[in-house]
Amino acid sequence: MKINLFNSKSTQNNKSKQDIKGKTASKHSSSEHDKSKQSKSNSSSMAISDKSKFAIVESYKLARTNIMFSLSAYDKKVFAVTSHSKGEGKSTVSANVAISFSKLEKRVLLVDCDLRRPNVHNIFNVDNKTGLSNIIGNMVTFEDTVHRNILPNLDAITSGTIPPNPSELLCSPRFVNMIKRLTDEYDYIILDTPPIGVVSDALLLKDLIAGFVIVIREGSTTHGDIRDLLDSIKLADSKVLGMVKVGCDVSKRKKGRGYYYYQYY
């Protein structure tokens, strides 16, 4: 299963691009405080909403449908989202797939398992003083930390304090038992995991999940990266539920393809 998600920015005309270039100098002269505020604003805008472009929303619905078909072959409703390298959009995809699932009136939990470079708290603009690492470390309880109903039917656990031993925390009995217990409370649990091409943390979760949804970015992820990802997941004796391709240029889509497509392989 492969889903293409198109980048709405690619539809800008040349004049808009020139305007953006013309503003670059003034942007560089902004204070660090302004940059930080802008960054948080941009992160929040990555989550789909009622104002998102139709093609983007429908693409995530298509991704949701195909993930559900893939999950139907397994007796688990927990799956992980990963990528090969940082900056390929896995956290954005994790968040938006979670939002899409929550639209089905299903109880959904999104867990930021990227304890090295977390981003879920930025996307939803929520506090990250405590989170998953603090729960596993027995410093706080799940109830004290979970962000309830950040959107209807969607709860989230952020990463919390960045620990010195993220791999050990993710394979700890306390984390495993927590996820198993939460499967009784939630219909779907989505784990935003570190990129497999950088660290092996995500592969430690193989016994907890039905499989991986892989995020690939056009113009960034190479065929070699994808091959390495598939080999790593196969070697870990886990499964690939599908791939989501992001950053696609809508102006270059093939005639008749529309805004998205999927295929089984």
Side-chain angles (χ1 to χ4, degrees):
M1 178 268 288
K2 182 170 77 173
I3 305 295
N4 277 8
L5 297 178
F6 292 96
N7 184 353
S8 60
K9 293 181 181 179
S10 65
T11 60
Q12 292 176 318
N13 57 28
N14 290 334
K15 184 176 183 298
S16 297
K17 291 178 181 178
Q18 286 299 116
D19 290 343
I20 292 173
K21 289 180 180 178
K23 295 175 182 177
T24 301
S26 61
K27 286 183 178 179
H28 282 306
S29 64
S30 298
S31 68
E32 289 301 319
H33 177 68
D34 290 338
K35 287 179 182 178
S36 176
K37 289 175 63 179
Q38 184 66 32
S39 175
K40 289 183 179 181
S41 175
N42 289 342
S43 294
S44 299
S45 68
M46 290 188 291
I48 56 175
S49 67
D50 294 336
K51 296 181 180 180
S52 299
K53 288 186 176 294
F54 175 81
I56 301 296
V57 175
E58 289 301 305
S59 293
Y60 276 109
K61 286 182 180 179
L62 183 59
R64 177 189 68 195
T65 299
N66 284 280
I67 291 170
M68 291 177 70
F69 273 119
S70 296
L71 288 173
S72 65
Y74 307 98
D75 189 27
K76 294 178 181 177
K77 293 297 177 68
V78 183
F79 64 93
V81 180
T82 191
S83 61
H84 181 272
S85 305
K86 65 180 182 180
E88 291 178 323
K90 66 173 182 60
S91 295
T92 302
V93 171
S94 299
N96 287 333
V97 167
I99 292 171
S100 189
F101 269 89
S102 71
K103 299 290 186 182
L104 297 175
E105 300 297 320
K106 301 290 186 181
R107 292 294 297 155
V108 180
L109 176 67
L110 174 63
V111 184
D112 194 343
C113 295
D114 193 341
L115 302 182
R116 302 171 190 268
R117 294 175 60 89
N119 196 35
V120 168
H121 63 287
N122 290 324
I123 294 174
F124 291 104
N125 195 25
V126 294
D127 181 73
N128 190 37
K129 290 181 180 178
T130 60
L132 180 61
S133 63
N134 306 96
I135 296 174
I136 301 173
N138 205 23
M139 303 172 190
V140 293
T141 66
F142 174 82
E143 287 300 329
D144 290 337
T145 308
V146 63
H147 296 276
R148 296 283 187 186
N149 292 309
I150 53 175
L151 289 172
N153 301 308
L154 177 59
D155 295 349
I157 288 288
T158 59
S159 64
T161 306
I162 295 178
N165 57 339
S167 298
E168 288 79 1
L169 292 183
L170 290 179
C171 64
S172 67
R174 187 172 179 83
F175 175 69
V176 172
N177 293 334
M178 182 189 79
I179 295 298
K180 288 181 177 179
R181 175 176 57 83
L182 291 173
T183 55
D184 294 329
E185 181 177 346
Y186 294 95
D187 298 298
Y188 295 98
I189 299 178
I190 301 170
L191 309 180
D192 176 19
T193 62
I196 290 177
V198 178
V199 291
S200 61
D201 296 7
L203 298 175
L204 299 173
L205 307 175
K206 67 182 185 67
D207 294 329
L208 272 180
I209 61 176
F212 291 95
V213 173
I214 296 174
V215 178
I216 57 179
R217 176 167 290 278
E218 185 168 291
S220 176
T221 313
T222 66
H223 290 290
D225 292 341
I226 298 172
R227 184 169 57 251
D228 290 344
L229 263 175
L230 297 177
D231 288 345
S232 296
I233 292 172
K234 182 179 180 180
L235 186 63
D237 195 27
S238 191
K239 301 289 189 296
V240 175
L241 301 179
M243 296 185 182
V244 176
K245 186 177 181 182
V246 300
C248 307
D249 189 343
V250 68
S251 66
K252 295 180 180 179
R253 69 185 186 274
K254 292 182 179 180
K255 186 177 181 180
R257 288 287 191 179
Y259 283 102
Y260 51 80
Y261 71 90
Y262 72 93
Q263 65 185 42
Y264 288 90
Y265 57 89

